[in-house]
Amino acid sequence: MSIGPSLSTTTYGVLGLLAVRPYSTYELAKAMGLSVGRVWPRTQSKLFEEPKKLVQHGYATAREERVGRRPRTVYTITSSGRQALASWLAEPGDGPVVEFEGLVKLIFAEHGTRADALATIARARAWAVQMNADSITAGEKFAERGGRFEERRATTLLMGAFLTDFYALVAQWADWASAEVSSWPDDIASHRVGPELTRAVLARARWSEQS
């Protein structure tokens, strides 16, 4: 059995979008930002290269057309592309990877000020609120009957539910962290936490041990 080319998750994300409908390069970048990009963010410049890779591997075709005076390239998935996508989907995906600059700063908060730490926490909460608002806007469109992608509502709901809970988690953590840090002295390095608070957090961590 022949083995297909090794493609990145980003490339497969673009291939998945082409399985929904043909897209121009600009439309692909926009669609990624509204869907796949919310859980697999990549720079727009990188996304512009992905459909070209798919064409090289025979997973998509490219045709030139004009919108007014502007030329654009429209990409369409091929039967080989659909087979490659199905093969990729047959392999279970990895779990999430946490990348959170605010937490990196909080790890070393004792070298800054309490105000710095509180500002970082506040920004994290503001991020969660804004991202959740964006999800609500997108979700309302999917909730309408006869919407553009009504046939994809079920699968989109899986991502929407995850993001809803994730943004709520960040906001709830920020509320807890803000209350905790507010009680710290200005000299964070001198602050000590008793073992009871660690035990309380550890008790929350034992959710996975409950049958």
Side-chain angles (χ1 to χ4, degrees):
M1 181 178 67
S2 62
I3 300 176
S6 177
L7 302 178
S8 69
T9 300
T10 303
T11 308
Y12 277 114
V14 172
L15 186 61
L17 286 174
L18 292 180
V20 177
R21 71 170 180 86
Y23 281 97
S24 69
T25 307
Y26 172 77
E27 289 172 334
L28 270 173
K30 185 177 180 180
M32 282 287 286
L34 294 173
S35 56
V36 179
R38 297 181 73 84
V39 293
W40 194 260
R42 292 298 182 271
T43 61
Q44 194 172 73
S45 59
K46 179 174 176 58
L47 294 177
F48 287 156
E49 298 301 317
E50 297 302 327
K52 298 176 184 178
K53 296 178 184 177
L54 294 173
V55 172
Q56 292 172 358
H57 293 303
Y59 293 161
T61 60
R63 74 174 188 275
E64 300 297 325
E65 62 178 37
R66 302 189 75 84
V67 179
R69 294 185 177 182
R70 293 185 177 183
R72 71 173 187 174
T73 304
V74 177
Y75 296 91
T76 303
I77 194 171
T78 63
S79 58
S80 295
R82 292 188 183 278
Q83 292 173 7
L85 180 62
S87 296
W88 178 68
L89 292 173
E91 296 292 331
D94 293 331
V97 176
V98 178
E99 187 176 286
F100 187 175
E101 184 189 27
L103 271 182
V104 176
K105 291 191 174 189
L106 291 174
I107 290 172
F108 305 107
E110 72 271 22
H111 300 288
T113 68
R114 182 178 61 180
D116 294 337
L118 288 171
T120 291
I121 295 168
R123 176 166 291 187
R125 194 184 198 287
W127 173 87
V129 170
Q130 182 59 58
M131 295 298 290
N132 191 61
D134 293 344
S135 285
I136 290 173
T137 299
E140 287 175 341
K141 294 179 180 179
F142 272 93
E144 297 174 358
R145 288 191 176 277
R148 185 175 183 182
F149 296 119
E150 185 173 8
E151 72 279 3
R152 305 199 66 247
R153 184 179 294 141
T155 53
T156 303
L157 184 62
L158 298 178
M159 183 181 75
F162 173 84
L163 291 176
T164 294
D165 292 345
F166 177 64
Y167 299 146
L169 168 68
V170 174
Q172 291 164 8
W173 165 83
D175 290 341
W176 171 85
S178 181
E180 179 65 23
V181 174
S182 292
S183 68
W184 291 1
D186 291 332
D187 181 11
I188 298 177
S190 67
H191 183 55
R192 298 294 181 269
V193 174
E196 61 278 357
L197 185 57
T198 301
R199 292 195 188 100
V201 174
L202 184 59
R204 285 156 48 189
R206 297 194 185 282
W207 64 267
S208 60
E209 299 175 355
Q210 300 174 5
S211 57

